[in-house]
Amino acid sequence: MSETPAQNSANETNSAAVRGELDVLDQLMKPEVQKSLTELVEQLPKLAEMVTLMTKAYDVAQSLATDRVLIEDLKGGLGEFVKPIQDKAKGIASAAIEASDRAQSDSTTIGLFGLLKMLKDPQVQKMFRFAQAFLEVMAERQKGDTETK
Protein backbone atom coordinates (compact mmCIF):
# COMPACT_ATOMS: atom_id res chain seq x y z
CA MET A 1 0.00 0.00 0.00
CA SER A 2 1.50 3.36 -1.01
CA GLU A 3 1.14 6.53 1.04
CA THR A 4 -0.40 9.68 -0.32
CA PRO A 5 1.51 12.99 -0.09
CA ALA A 6 -0.85 14.13 2.71
CA GLN A 7 -0.19 10.97 4.74
CA ASN A 8 3.54 11.30 4.10
CA SER A 9 3.49 14.93 5.35
CA ALA A 10 1.50 13.92 8.44
CA ASN A 11 3.97 11.13 9.21
CA GLU A 12 6.91 13.57 8.89
CA THR A 13 5.16 16.03 11.24
CA ASN A 14 4.49 13.27 13.77
CA SER A 15 8.07 12.01 13.63
CA ALA A 16 9.38 15.60 14.04
CA ALA A 17 7.15 16.01 17.09
CA VAL A 18 8.39 12.73 18.55
CA ARG A 19 12.01 13.80 17.92
CA GLY A 20 11.26 17.14 19.61
CA GLU A 21 9.81 15.34 22.62
CA LEU A 22 12.86 13.07 22.79
CA ASP A 23 15.14 16.10 22.61
CA VAL A 24 13.24 17.68 25.50
CA LEU A 25 13.42 14.45 27.49
CA ASP A 26 17.14 14.19 26.77
CA GLN A 27 17.56 17.74 28.03
CA LEU A 28 15.56 16.97 31.18
CA MET A 29 17.83 14.02 31.95
CA LYS A 30 20.90 16.25 32.24
CA PRO A 31 21.93 16.85 35.89
CA GLU A 32 22.51 20.61 35.43
CA VAL A 33 19.01 21.00 33.93
CA GLN A 34 17.49 19.03 36.81
CA LYS A 35 19.37 21.17 39.32
CA SER A 36 18.17 24.35 37.60
CA LEU A 37 14.59 23.09 37.58
CA THR A 38 14.82 22.25 41.29
CA GLU A 39 16.07 25.75 42.07
CA LEU A 40 13.35 27.24 39.89
CA VAL A 41 10.64 25.24 41.66
CA GLU A 42 12.01 26.34 45.05
CA GLN A 43 11.83 29.98 43.95
CA LEU A 44 8.33 29.79 42.45
CA PRO A 45 6.60 31.51 45.42
CA LYS A 46 8.97 34.47 45.15
CA LEU A 47 8.59 34.56 41.38
CA ALA A 48 4.81 34.49 41.68
CA GLU A 49 4.92 37.37 44.17
CA MET A 50 7.21 39.37 41.86
CA VAL A 51 4.95 38.74 38.88
CA THR A 52 1.95 39.87 40.93
CA LEU A 53 3.71 43.08 41.95
CA MET A 54 4.87 43.76 38.39
CA THR A 55 1.34 43.17 37.12
CA LYS A 56 -0.07 45.63 39.65
CA ALA A 57 2.60 48.21 38.76
CA TYR A 58 1.84 47.72 35.07
CA ASP A 59 -1.88 48.17 35.70
CA VAL A 60 -1.26 51.41 37.64
CA ALA A 61 1.10 52.74 34.96
CA GLN A 62 -1.39 51.80 32.25
CA SER A 63 -4.26 53.54 34.05
CA LEU A 64 -2.14 56.66 34.60
CA ALA A 65 -0.98 56.71 31.00
CA THR A 66 -4.54 56.54 29.70
CA ASP A 67 -6.08 58.99 32.21
CA ARG A 68 -6.76 62.07 30.08
CA VAL A 69 -7.73 64.21 33.10
CA LEU A 70 -4.42 63.48 34.84
CA ILE A 71 -2.45 64.16 31.65
CA GLU A 72 -4.22 67.50 31.13
CA ASP A 73 -3.65 68.46 34.79
CA LEU A 74 0.05 67.63 34.50
CA LYS A 75 0.36 69.65 31.30
CA GLY A 76 -1.42 72.58 32.93
CA GLY A 77 0.76 72.41 36.05
CA LEU A 78 3.93 72.17 34.02
CA GLY A 79 2.79 75.09 31.89
CA GLU A 80 2.18 77.22 35.01
CA PHE A 81 5.66 76.35 36.23
CA VAL A 82 7.43 77.04 32.94
CA LYS A 83 5.49 80.17 31.89
CA PRO A 84 7.14 82.62 34.38
CA ILE A 85 10.60 81.29 33.53
CA GLN A 86 9.84 81.56 29.84
CA ASP A 87 8.53 85.13 30.23
CA LYS A 88 11.60 86.17 32.22
CA ALA A 89 13.95 84.64 29.63
CA LYS A 90 12.10 86.43 26.85
CA GLY A 91 12.35 89.71 28.77
CA ILE A 92 16.08 89.31 29.30
CA ALA A 93 16.63 88.36 25.67
CA SER A 94 14.65 91.34 24.39
CA ALA A 95 16.54 93.69 26.75
CA ALA A 96 19.86 92.29 25.49
CA ILE A 97 18.80 92.78 21.87
CA GLU A 98 17.63 96.33 22.54
CA ALA A 99 20.86 97.16 24.42
CA SER A 100 22.90 95.74 21.56
CA ASP A 101 21.00 97.86 19.06
CA ARG A 102 21.49 101.00 21.18
CA ALA A 103 25.20 100.31 21.64
CA GLN A 104 25.69 99.86 17.91
CA SER A 105 23.82 103.03 17.01
CA ASP A 106 25.59 105.19 19.66
CA SER A 107 29.11 106.12 18.62
CA THR A 108 29.93 108.58 21.41
CA THR A 109 33.10 108.09 23.40
CA ILE A 110 32.82 107.46 27.12
CA GLY A 111 35.50 109.42 28.92
CA LEU A 112 36.71 109.55 32.49
CA PHE A 113 33.90 111.81 33.65
CA GLY A 114 31.38 109.62 31.85
CA LEU A 115 32.71 106.60 33.76
CA LEU A 116 32.52 108.50 37.07
CA LYS A 117 28.94 109.45 36.30
CA MET A 118 28.13 105.82 35.43
CA LEU A 119 29.55 104.67 38.79
CA LYS A 120 26.67 106.48 40.52
CA ASP A 121 24.07 104.48 38.55
CA PRO A 122 22.33 101.93 40.85
CA GLN A 123 22.41 99.25 38.15
CA VAL A 124 26.16 99.69 37.68
CA GLN A 125 26.65 99.46 41.45
CA LYS A 126 24.54 96.30 41.53
CA MET A 127 26.63 94.81 38.72
CA PHE A 128 29.90 95.63 40.51
CA ARG A 129 28.62 94.14 43.81
CA PHE A 130 27.65 90.98 41.95
CA ALA A 131 31.01 90.81 40.21
CA GLN A 132 32.85 91.32 43.51
CA ALA A 133 30.79 88.65 45.29
CA PHE A 134 31.22 86.23 42.38
CA LEU A 135 34.99 86.70 42.37
CA GLU A 136 35.12 86.19 46.16
CA VAL A 137 33.16 82.94 45.89
CA MET A 138 35.40 81.71 43.09
CA ALA A 139 38.51 82.57 45.12
CA GLU A 140 37.14 80.70 48.17
CA ARG A 141 36.35 77.64 46.08
CA GLN A 142 39.75 77.72 44.43
CA LYS A 143 41.39 78.03 47.84
CA GLY A 144 39.29 75.12 49.13
CA ASP A 145 40.19 72.99 46.12
CA THR A 146 43.92 73.57 46.59
CA GLU A 147 43.69 72.71 50.33
CA THR A 148 41.94 69.39 49.66
CA LYS A 149 44.54 68.24 47.10
Side-chain angles (χ1 to χ4, degrees):
M1 201 176 206
S2 67
E3 293 183 356
T4 65
Q7 288 174 335
N8 195 15
S9 175
N11 286 340
E12 288 175 7
T13 304
N14 286 339
S15 65
V18 169
R19 276 193 306 259
E21 289 176 8
L22 289 177
D23 289 343
V24 170
L25 289 175
D26 288 340
Q27 289 291 323
L28 288 174
M29 294 306 292
K30 293 181 180 177
E32 62 270 9
V33 172
Q34 289 178 355
K35 183 180 178 190
S36 297
L37 284 172
T38 303
E39 290 176 10
L40 186 62
V41 168
E42 289 173 358
Q43 300 300 323
L44 277 177
K46 290 180 185 176
L47 290 171
E49 185 179 339
M50 287 174 51
V51 168
T52 302
L53 288 173
M54 288 191 297
T55 302
K56 287 179 182 178
Y58 174 80
D59 291 342
V60 169
Q62 187 68 23
S63 67
L64 292 175
T66 57
D67 187 355
R68 292 287 166 216
V69 174
L70 177 67
I71 291 171
E72 290 302 318
D73 286 347
L74 286 174
K75 282 178 18 183
L78 188 60
E80 288 177 16
F81 176 75
V82 170
K83 182 93 169 113
I85 297 170
Q86 184 180 14
D87 291 344
K88 187 157 191 146
K90 284 181 180 178
I92 291 170
S94 69
I97 291 169
E98 185 178 344
S100 174
D101 291 344
R102 285 186 190 181
Q104 288 178 359
S105 65
D106 187 7
S107 61
T108 60
T109 304
I110 298 176
L112 179 62
F113 291 112
L115 281 175
L116 292 174
K117 183 179 176 186
M118 284 175 56
L119 286 174
K120 294 180 182 179
D121 186 328
Q123 291 299 322
V124 172
Q125 287 293 316
K126 186 176 179 181
M127 181 203 55
F128 280 132
R129 283 192 298 272
F130 174 80
Q132 183 181 17
F134 181 77
L135 292 172
E136 288 172 358
V137 168
M138 292 303 293
E140 290 170 4
R141 288 186 180 180
Q142 188 176 22
K143 183 179 176 184
D145 287 344
T146 57
E147 288 177 359
T148 58
K149 289 183 179 180

